[in-house]
Amino acid sequence: MTLAVTFTVAATALGAGRQAGDYWVQTHGQAQRKGLPGWPGRLACAADVATYTLTQAGCLLLAAAVLAAPVAAWHAAAGLAVSAVMRYAADRREPLRRLAAAAGKAGYRESGGAAQLDQAWHWTWLFAAALVIAGGWPS
């Protein structure tokens, strides 16, 4: 039961942190530049990922404290790392473009589905990160 409770707390906290980090904390400049080629894009994306991850960490810490959820520090660090790495990969744009092409989704992506594929990527990896934080994956 503890695993399920911790997963639920982690998933909810990461989801809230993702929304706040993406839409309230991320600057307009980061959003505009993070997909650019070269160092300007890399640095803007890294700055976005840093504030995004801190926002998620804050939400997780608050939820775990208020709800007395048993979150191990190393599980939290590992789960937040999963979220951060996958955020960076998605927001550099090219990795998801290539993945969409490899999955046969290039046409969908190019005809207006890029945002949906991006969101699906984020939510899928938040699910995985919550499993890591709960201590349920990898086991």
Side-chain angles (χ1 to χ4, degrees):
M1 186 57 143
T2 301
L3 188 68
V5 168
T6 304
F7 169 79
T8 302
V9 169
T12 303
L14 291 179
R18 181 237 184 282
Q19 293 296 101
D22 204 13
Y23 300 111
W24 283 100
V25 177
Q26 177 178 222
T27 69
H28 181 68
Q30 289 166 344
Q32 294 298 308
R33 291 189 303 271
K34 65 187 179 181
L36 293 176
W39 283 105
R42 289 183 197 115
L43 292 173
C45 194
D48 168 50
V49 169
T51 58
Y52 172 90
T53 304
L54 286 172
T55 304
Q56 284 188 315
C59 288
L60 180 61
L61 182 64
L62 180 61
V66 170
L67 300 170
V71 176
W74 76 274
H75 285 147
L80 288 166
V82 167
S83 179
V85 168
M86 293 302 111
R87 168 77 175 188
Y88 186 89
D91 286 1
R92 289 296 292 142
R93 310 286 189 248
E94 187 63 21
L96 282 191
R97 186 192 66 73
R98 289 182 183 176
L99 182 61
K105 298 287 185 182
Y108 174 67
R109 183 183 178 281
E110 299 304 319
S111 65
Q116 289 82 8
L117 292 172
D118 176 79
Q119 293 302 306
W121 173 268
H122 287 302
W123 284 107
T124 301
W125 284 105
L126 289 179
F127 171 79
L131 286 174
V132 170
I133 291 169
W137 181 72
S139 55

